[in-house]
Amino acid sequence: MASGDIAQITEALAKTHVGEVELSYKGQGLKLDNAESVKEMVQEIERCQGLQSLRLEGNTLGVEAAQAIAKSLEAKRELEQCHWSDLFTGRLRSEIPPALKSLGYSLMTSGARLTLLDLSDNAFGPDGVKGIESLLKSAACYTLLELRLNNCGMGIGGGMVLASALTECHKQSSAAGSPLRLKVFIAGRNRLENDGAAALAKAFKLLGSLEEVHMPQNGINHLGITALATAIKHNPNLQVLNLNDNTFTKRGSIAMAEAIRHLQCLKVINFGDCLVRSEGAIAIAGALREGLPFLRELNLSFGEICEAAAVVVAKAVRGKSDLEKLDLNGNCFGEEGCEALREVMESMNMEDLLGTLSDDEGEPDDDDEEEEEEEDEEEKEDEVHTEENGVNGTKDVIEEKVIPENICKPEWTAKPEPVSIFHQMNNLEFICVVLLPQEEPRCTSELTSFLISPSAEKLISLGAKRIQLIEQQVDVSDASKVSEIFLKISSVYKDEPEVKQAIFESTDALLRKAFSNSHSQSYSFISSLIVNLGLLKSEDKKIKKVAVLPGHLLALEHAAAQEFFPADQAEVLEEFVSRNGKVLESCCNARDALKTTLVKRTTA
């Protein structure tokens, strides 16, 4: 055998991993402009029998060079892994799509069945996604297990194209009898925002096979987060969920908490720098208590979480034998709060699992209006008061009579008469027909009257039917409404047997129904109640603090002693009452009675 042949064999073996035939040019910084510059590489690819993995990352590839490499891949049917990240440094944006199309076409021609495609750190934008669109839809990707597109600048448009391609791949692969079973999806730092995330969420829901999702730093707020939450519930084998540095706020956090409680295989949760806030943290704690037995890491850092909410989270990981790290750094505890959190972890023999708290932001400032300004921005996105498709692009604003919102579900005694409202614009007449209720709800009118203007006399006058009215007519799907009704009923408290009995029977009926709902809904109720009592500042300006009366706390103390009141909810309430009890100083006797009962429930 000639010495040149031996050298070639030695070189090929050096690039081959045990159990996998791989050619690697990783990190060589090669400037590959034309066919001549890749001549040796092409020859090596052609000589490599059974090539399974090709590593080109860390070089810079031009269109002509890509076409030459693509030609050599047309006979590589065994190719499974394409490590092509950081492949176009210094190239014009216009060069990347044709280069990707050439490489993709060769894979489709060869009959290869990919398991991994990594194009991260290529900054190819929406056009780059179009460059791999055909490949992603083709049979070459029916077997794809890992798709890595981190830091590609896809934007909203690229995200939508990608989602459509994955959906089509699943459709075609299913028709072929082998549905796409993608396991790992990585697309951080891509400016996907809400629309891109929502489009991908639809694809994720269809796939149902994901085990890892990494989508950090994408400018996604609660609308996109809620869409993703809905989708991941349909991926029961999900193990890693990384949404770091997006913007959950309360609504996104509650939606995500509802989703993760269904994911019993979840091991790593990274919601760091996501503005989860205290109410969101409480909701996530509720999900932790329900399940997630294999959880290894939980990151809720830099989320504007207060001390009491953090303690609730810490206690929720008690019993997680696989837990390796709890990251609560960068929140709003203050020195005493940080120490209290360490003590809680130490009491559970888990102090070594708590990450550093060196970047704690200190206790929150009551005068800080930043969170309210952000909430205003979110509300502007959600609220729709106008028709956007008016004549000549104008907005047709249609006036309508506002119907006062009922706390209870209405039950009309007569069919309302329609009322027509006419609107004139640009010499054209538009008619908006609005059904306006003409009658007051029957039987609920007495309950509604009480809730509008509570008094002990009105509550007693409802008689025995008040329990039935509450059970039948109060909608417990809105946690803030349940809290509002509870406080209205208990506000008429008097130290008189008949009044106390009426209040306790009514509040017990209300809370029994509320706690029989979903567990996450129960946590939302407790969260709303804590806000109403002034124990926690909410980002939701619709939830207002009430002037706390002894009756509020005494009715709550009575309910907390009942069997239907969940012990874990009592523990959440006890944390806030204990750590923020000064807020309730005006009702100190009732506060102390409530605290005593809550402690009994949590230590029983």
Side-chain angles (χ1 to χ4, degrees), residues 390-410:
V391 179
N392 297 326
T394 61
K395 295 180 180 180
D396 293 349
V397 182
I398 300 177
E399 300 178 8
E400 57 180 295
K401 184 175 178 180
V402 178
I403 304 171
E405 183 180 5
N406 287 312
I407 294 175
C408 301
K409 298 177 182 177

Side-chain angles (χ1 to χ4, degrees), residues 50-305:
L51 178 64
Q52 294 174 289
S53 176
L54 179 61
R55 307 194 73 105
L56 299 176
E57 65 264 52
N59 300 290
T60 177
L61 188 65
V63 176
E64 187 179 336
Q67 291 171 342
I69 293 173
K71 188 69 176 176
S72 69
L73 292 176
E74 289 182 358
K76 301 302 175 182
R77 184 181 181 86
E78 294 86 0
L79 187 62
E80 296 178 354
Q81 298 184 15
C82 298
H83 298 271
W84 296 347
S85 63
D86 190 19
L87 193 55
F88 299 104
T89 301
R91 298 293 171 181
L92 296 174
R93 180 72 65 88
S94 59
E95 293 183 82
I96 301 176
L100 290 172
K101 286 181 180 178
S102 296
L103 293 169
Y105 179 77
S106 69
L107 297 174
M108 294 158 61
T109 302
S110 70
R113 293 294 183 266
L114 298 183
T115 59
L116 181 149
L117 178 61
D118 186 356
L119 290 167
S120 298
D121 301 316
N122 280 313
F124 48 50
D127 291 339
V129 184
K130 294 177 182 178
I132 60 172
E133 182 179 9
S134 295
L135 172 63
L136 290 174
K137 291 179 179 180
S138 73
C141 287
Y142 286 2
T143 52
L144 196 62
L145 298 177
E146 298 186 32
L147 179 59
R148 302 172 181 264
L149 296 170
N150 198 58
N151 192 30
C152 289
M154 290 189 288
I156 295 172
M160 289 181 168
V161 172
L162 176 60
S164 177
L166 291 174
T167 300
E168 183 64 20
C169 183
H170 184 271
K171 178 182 177 182
Q172 297 296 337
S173 60
S174 297
S178 182
L180 173 64
R181 300 289 296 170
L182 188 68
K183 291 184 177 181
V184 178
F185 179 85
I186 301 176
R189 302 182 66 187
N190 271 292
R191 297 179 288 108
L192 294 170
E193 300 182 17
N194 289 334
D195 290 342
L200 286 166
K202 292 179 180 178
F204 294 169
K205 182 178 179 179
L206 186 66
L207 291 172
S209 57
L210 291 168
E211 295 181 6
E212 294 187 26
V213 173
H214 302 261
M215 295 176 66
Q217 289 185 286
N218 269 297
I220 308 169
N221 69 22
H222 73 93
L223 297 172
I225 295 298
T226 299
L228 289 171
T230 301
I232 65 171
K233 285 193 291 189
H234 297 271
N235 290 264
N237 295 321
L238 191 67
Q239 297 179 30
V240 179
L241 181 58
N242 177 8
L243 295 174
N244 187 282
D245 200 8
N246 290 291
T247 307
F248 282 36
T249 61
K250 172 186 173 182
R251 283 175 282 186
S253 299
I254 290 175
M256 194 56 69
E258 172 64 21
I260 63 174
R261 72 187 185 90
H262 295 278
L263 305 175
Q264 296 305 301
C265 296
L266 204 53
K267 296 179 180 179
V268 178
I269 299 174
N270 187 343
F271 296 160
D273 204 12
C274 283
L275 213 60
V276 167
R277 293 191 172 135
S278 298
E279 291 172 278
I282 293 170
I284 291 170
L288 294 175
R289 287 183 180 275
E290 280 195 84
L292 307 180
F294 306 113
L295 187 67
R296 289 205 313 256
E297 295 182 23
L298 175 61
N299 184 346
L300 295 179
S301 60
F302 299 93
E304 293 189 4
I305 300 170

Side-chain angles (χ1 to χ4, degrees), residues 505-533:
E505 287 179 351
S506 300
T507 54
D508 283 359
L510 175 67
L511 297 190
R512 187 182 293 106
K513 183 177 180 181
F515 287 132
S516 67
N517 209 352
S518 71
H519 204 68
S520 59
Q521 188 70 22
S522 298
Y523 266 85
S524 295
F525 161 70
I526 289 294
S527 181
S528 296
L529 190 62
I530 290 169
V531 170
N532 287 141
L533 293 174

